[in-house]
Each structure stands twice: as structure tokens, then as C-alpha cells.
């Protein structure tokens, strides 16, 4: 994990926590937990360096004081973990003297410095932004508008890069498959589920092409499988009948 990704994950967690207003669980709570779990896996040296040279403490205190119990719990766990790391490094005494470095703003958080990765993020964001105009149900529309397409796009692309490597690598076909299905005009269900957190980046990366397909395609695949199973069962019955006749 690089510093930029570390900062992006923390920013995604902060955005998700700020969008949660009450104690009930929601897709944003799940997105917050996913980001926090990945932050816990960051190399200790990286966590120590970033925490000691940024103003992340404010964000952590926000998590610890949050109304939502799950956000409070996760915030305390990360606070305790990072405190131990800082104490073990001997940097806690110099932390206040370090010059704070702001967490990236909206204008910088979208960029990785890699043109291919940035393009993937833009494509994902464009696809996810369509969802707000595609849903009709009032309750679902409320859930959708509470989600930030850019935050989700960054989270998904980070998971893709972590699991698949660079776009021009051996997994280029997988990248193309994900981007195609996310943008497919006949596949609104997939991008909606990704946007509201029913499918996170880690899950999306492992899905087969048929799983990502539209509901119509999935039904057709299921129909073909059922026909094949029926034919195989019929063939086995014929063979069994032939065996009985022969005996």
C-alpha cells in the first residue's frame, strides 16, 4: 500500500462516516468498515509516518464520538492500533511539533498520478453517476443520493488495482469486462448495487462475467444451464433403461 492509497482510504472512511446521521446500519456504514479494515492492514511504518505528519487525529476523534455504535467501535480500534504503533516507534513526543499535512481535497483525491488508473476512475464515476437518474423508487433514490459516485469509484478502482495490477497488465481483459458491465445501459442493477454498497470493490473484482451481466443475461444463462441439466438427466435415464433391457 502506498501513501496516496492510505490517504484515499482514510478520506473515504471520513466521507462515509459523515454521511451516516443515526445509529442504524446502512451501506455507508459498511463502506466505512471496509475502508477501516484496509487501513488496519497498512504497513506499520506507513501508518506511523502518515499519522505523525498529518491531522488525522481529528478524523479519528470524530469516529470515536460518532452516534453510530459501529463507527465508534471501529474508530476506537484503529485509534488504539495506531497509538501502539506510534508509541513503539518513539515518535509520540515529536508528533505535535511536526507540520500538519492536510488530507487531499476533492481536487487531488481523484488523481493517482497514473493516467491509466485515473482514466479507470473516471469511467467508473461516470457509470455510477447514472444511477441517480435510473432509480424510480423513492426509498432507493434516497439511498442512492446519499452515496458519492467519486468515493465509490476510488474505492472500486483501488480494489481493482490491488487485486489485478495495472490496467495494461495480464488482467486487462478483466478490467475491460468490469468497466463494460458497469457502463452497460442494459445493466443498471449492477452499478446500483455497487454504488449503495451491496457489492463492494473486492467482491466485484472476483465476480465472473456471467455474474456481472444484466438480469436478462443471467436469466438466459440460467435457462441454458437448466436445459443442459435436463438433457443430461434424460440421457442418463435412457442409458439406465438400455442397461435394464440388456440385462
Amino acid at each position: 500500500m502506498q501513501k496516496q492509497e492510505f490517504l484515499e482510504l482514510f478520506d473515504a472512511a471520513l466521507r462515509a462516516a459523515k454521511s451516516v446521521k443515526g445509529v442504524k446500519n446502512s451501506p455507508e456504514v459498511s463502506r466505512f468498515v471496509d475502508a477501516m479494515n484496509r487501513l488496519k492492514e497498512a504497513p506499520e511504518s506507513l501508518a506511523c509516518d502518515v499519522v505523525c505528519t498529518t491531522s488525522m487525529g481529528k478524523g479519528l476523534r470524530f469516529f470515536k464520538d460518532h452516534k453510530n455504535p459501529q463507527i465508534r467501535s471501529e474508530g476506537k480500534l484503529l485509534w488504539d492500533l495506531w497509538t501502539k504503533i506510534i508509541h513503539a516507534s518513539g515518535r509520540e513526543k515529536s508528533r505535535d511539533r511536526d507540520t500538519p499535512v492536510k488530507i487531499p481535497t476533492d481536487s487531488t483525491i481523484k488523481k493517482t498520478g497514473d493516467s491509466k488508473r485515473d482514466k479507470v476512475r473516471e469511467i467508473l464515476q461516470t457509470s455510477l453517476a447514472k444511477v441517480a437518474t435510473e432509480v424510480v423508487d423513492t426509498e432507493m433514490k434516497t439511498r442512492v443520493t446519499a452515496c458519492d459516485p467519486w468515493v465509490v469509484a476510488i474505492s472500486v478502482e483501488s480494489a481493482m488495482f490491488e487485486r489485478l495490477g495495472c490496467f495494461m497488465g495480464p488482467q486487462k481483459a478483466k478490467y475491460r469486462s468490469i468497466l463494460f458491465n458497469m457502463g452497460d445501459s442494459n445493466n443498471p442493477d449492477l452499478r446500483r448495487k455497487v454504488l449503495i454498497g451491496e457489492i463492494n470493490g473486492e467482491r466485484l473484482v472476483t465476480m465472473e462475467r456471467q455474474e456481472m451481466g444484466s438480469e436478462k443475461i443471467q436469466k438466459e444463462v440460467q435457462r441454458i444451464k437448466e436445459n443442459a441439466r435436463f438433457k443430461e438427466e434424460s440421457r442418463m435415464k435412457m442409458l439406465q433403461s438400455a442397461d435394464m433391457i440388456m440385462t
Side-chain angles (χ1 to χ4, degrees), residues 56-205:
M56 280 188 173
K58 293 180 180 179
L60 286 171
R61 282 189 286 274
F62 173 73
F63 299 154
K64 289 172 61 182
D65 296 334
H66 203 282
K67 292 181 179 180
N68 187 280
Q70 192 166 6
I71 291 178
R72 283 201 310 273
S73 175
E74 290 294 331
K76 186 177 185 305
L77 287 174
L78 193 61
W79 175 282
D80 292 343
L81 174 63
W82 284 354
T83 298
K84 289 178 182 178
I85 293 173
I86 293 170
H87 282 186
S89 71
R91 293 186 62 176
E92 68 277 8
K93 294 181 180 179
S94 63
R95 186 173 32 172
D96 294 335
R97 296 195 300 271
D98 288 329
T99 303
V101 177
K102 293 182 179 179
I103 296 173
T105 59
D106 286 347
S107 61
T108 60
I109 198 70
K110 302 169 186 175
K111 303 296 182 181
T112 65
D114 181 322
S115 61
K116 294 292 189 300
R117 290 189 64 184
D118 292 342
K119 186 62 178 178
V120 170
R121 291 184 175 194
E122 290 174 10
I123 294 172
L124 287 170
Q125 188 275 338
T126 299
S127 298
L128 292 165
K130 295 178 182 178
V131 180
T133 62
E134 293 173 330
V135 294
V136 178
D137 181 75
T138 303
E139 182 179 349
M140 179 56 66
K141 202 170 189 67
T142 300
R143 293 178 64 187
V144 166
T145 54
C147 300
D148 185 336
W150 262 119
V151 173
V152 180
I154 289 169
S155 175
V156 171
E157 186 280 330
S158 294
M160 291 170 68
F161 183 75
E162 186 175 318
R163 183 68 179 259
L164 305 175
C166 64
F167 177 79
M168 297 304 292
Q171 297 290 346
K172 185 176 181 179
K174 182 67 173 181
Y175 264 97
R176 289 184 177 278
S177 177
I178 292 173
L179 295 178
F180 170 78
N181 281 289
M182 283 291 292
D184 186 0
S185 58
N186 295 316
N187 200 359
D189 287 340
L190 177 65
R191 50 182 167 270
R192 174 180 52 79
K193 289 178 181 178
V194 172
L195 180 65
I196 64 176
E198 289 184 9
I199 298 175
N200 61 23
E202 288 76 10
R203 172 70 184 113
L204 181 65
V205 172

Side-chain angles (χ1 to χ4, degrees), residues 236-247:
M236 293 301 296
K237 287 179 180 178
M238 290 179 63
L239 289 175
Q240 289 174 0
S241 297
D243 287 343
M244 292 177 64
I245 293 173
M246 295 297 292
T247 55

Side-chain angles (χ1 to χ4, degrees), residues 1-3 5-14 32 34-64 73-93 95 103:
M1 183 184 295
Q2 301 298 315
K3 184 176 181 179
E5 183 180 357
F6 186 94
L7 292 170
E8 290 173 359
L9 284 170
F10 190 84
D11 185 73
L14 191 59
F32 170 83
D34 287 342
M36 294 293 273
N37 286 337
R38 293 176 65 185
L39 284 168
K40 292 173 191 173
E41 297 172 355
E44 292 187 2
S45 58
L46 174 62
C48 182
D49 178 62
V50 176
V51 174
C52 287
T53 58
T54 68
S55 53
M56 280 188 173
K58 293 180 180 179
L60 286 171
R61 282 189 286 274
F62 173 73
F63 299 154
K64 289 172 61 182
S73 175
E74 290 294 331
K76 186 177 185 305
L77 287 174
L78 193 61
W79 175 282
D80 292 343
L81 174 63
W82 284 354
T83 298
K84 289 178 182 178
I85 293 173
I86 293 170
H87 282 186
S89 71
R91 293 186 62 176
E92 68 277 8
K93 294 181 180 179
R95 186 173 32 172
I103 296 173

Side-chain angles (χ1 to χ4, degrees), residues 219-230:
K219 286 182 177 179
E220 180 63 19
V221 170
Q222 184 62 30
R223 186 186 67 79
I224 292 173
K225 287 182 178 179
E226 289 177 354
N227 286 343
R229 184 170 63 251
F230 175 76

